[in-house]
Amino acid sequence: MTKAIKLLNALPPPQRQRLMTLAREVSFPEDARIFEADGPADRFWVIRSGAVSLDQQVNSLQRVTVASLGAGDLLGWSWLFPPYTWDFGAVAFSPVRAYEFDAQAVLNLCEEEPELGVMLVRNVAEVLAHRLEMTRGKLMEQYTLHRRGAL
């Protein structure tokens, strides 16, 4: 199983400091919708404190939580891949403080500093691999419970 990484901690100090020059501190109150699936993915966040739930709309009345994120976690990766729209929605589960990054500014920095770009993409890929494994595990658990008649 892959290990959960914290994006900023995974970057070497010089690259982390360079990326942080683009950070803006933001906050979201509890229950605030941060973004909606299919909306434009033009930024991302690194959570400083609080908790965020990633969710998927399954019908007009129901959303399912697919992941919970906390301090140090990357919120949003769709800014890195076409068509640059969110795959999930995100809501603040508690009051949240975060660093916000403008996607285009980060992409421009990655063009200027290819070493930073490669490190950033690799670290985002590790985050995605870990989340995919966690989701697979949850699906297997749900399947097993369903087969046993527990659901």
Side-chain angles (χ1 to χ4, degrees):
M1 176 174 267
T2 60
K3 181 180 154 201
I5 69 162
K6 305 300 182 185
L7 182 68
L8 295 177
N9 292 342
L11 292 172
Q15 282 78 19
R16 180 175 48 244
Q17 290 168 357
R18 188 71 178 102
L19 181 63
M20 289 304 294
T21 65
L22 302 177
R24 180 174 83 98
E25 292 187 32
V26 297
S27 61
F28 301 99
E30 183 175 352
D31 296 327
R33 174 116 337 239
I34 301 169
F35 56 83
E36 192 66 67
D38 298 322
D42 59 357
R43 64 198 70 241
F44 67 95
W45 301 264
V46 174
I47 300 169
R48 296 177 59 211
S49 65
V52 173
S53 296
L54 295 179
D55 59 26
Q56 182 69 53
Q57 188 86 37
V58 292
N59 60 42
S60 63
L61 301 174
Q62 185 180 14
R63 292 181 188 270
V64 173
T65 298
V66 295
S68 297
L69 307 177
D73 286 334
L74 170 68
L75 172 59
W77 51 264
S78 298
W79 59 276
L80 197 51
F81 306 102
Y84 309 108
T85 57
W86 300 118
D87 288 317
F88 302 101
V91 65
F93 187 72
S94 67
V96 171
R97 292 177 37 221
Y99 293 118
E100 182 178 82
F101 297 87
D102 176 88
Q104 192 57 58
V106 172
L107 292 170
N108 291 344
L109 177 62
C110 290
E111 287 290 323
E112 294 169 16
E113 299 184 24
E115 185 177 341
L116 171 62
V118 168
M119 287 181 192
L120 187 62
V121 169
R122 281 185 180 160
N123 289 327
V124 170
E126 283 188 48
V127 169
L128 291 175
H130 177 74
R131 290 191 189 161
L132 182 59
E133 283 189 33
M134 298 302 293
T135 301
R136 184 176 63 91
K138 286 181 183 179
L139 286 172
M140 293 302 293
E141 181 181 305
Q142 290 296 314
Y143 176 77
T144 301
L145 290 172
H146 181 74
R147 295 272 302 180
R148 290 184 184 155
L151 290 180

